[in-house]
Amino acid sequence: MKITWLRRLAWGALALFLAAFAVFESVKYGLPTTAAALAFVVLPDVARLAGVRPPGPLHQAVHRVWIPLAVLVFYTFGPIVWPPLFTAGLGWLTRIAADRTLGRGLSDPRSRSYAS
């Protein structure tokens, strides 16, 4: 039980950091980056409204950490220079971290690990 609270605390700290970083990037680069960050913060809700229900593969994909993390890493080290892509990844990862902070992880009982 103690580990669960520590994990939630860590996810919460990450969510706050990512949100602050997304705001910083949005102020720095303007409206397109803000729109991208906000669009990807609500991406899991849009997927649910579109009829994607747990534990389907698309629902699982929008709740996986490694996808927006890969976007951020490839943007950082790759040749692409388009700030809205970076803030979209920040927004998406912020949403996942906030969901994990609140205890809403992946829906499949086999995938309830906070590490994925």
Side-chain angles (χ1 to χ4, degrees), residues 30-102:
L31 186 60
T33 57
T34 304
L38 291 176
F40 278 81
V41 163
V42 298
L43 178 69
D45 292 330
V46 171
R48 183 170 292 258
L49 289 174
V52 177
R53 299 284 181 219
L58 185 57
H59 180 270
Q60 295 293 329
V62 298
H63 288 88
R64 293 284 180 181
V65 171
W66 64 269
I67 298 173
L69 187 61
V71 169
L72 294 174
V73 169
F74 288 133
Y75 179 85
T76 301
F77 295 109
I80 299 171
V81 180
W82 191 52
L85 179 63
F86 186 72
T87 56
L90 284 174
W92 192 358
L93 197 53
T94 300
R95 173 57 187 265
I96 292 170
D99 282 348
R100 302 280 171 92
T101 300
L102 298 173

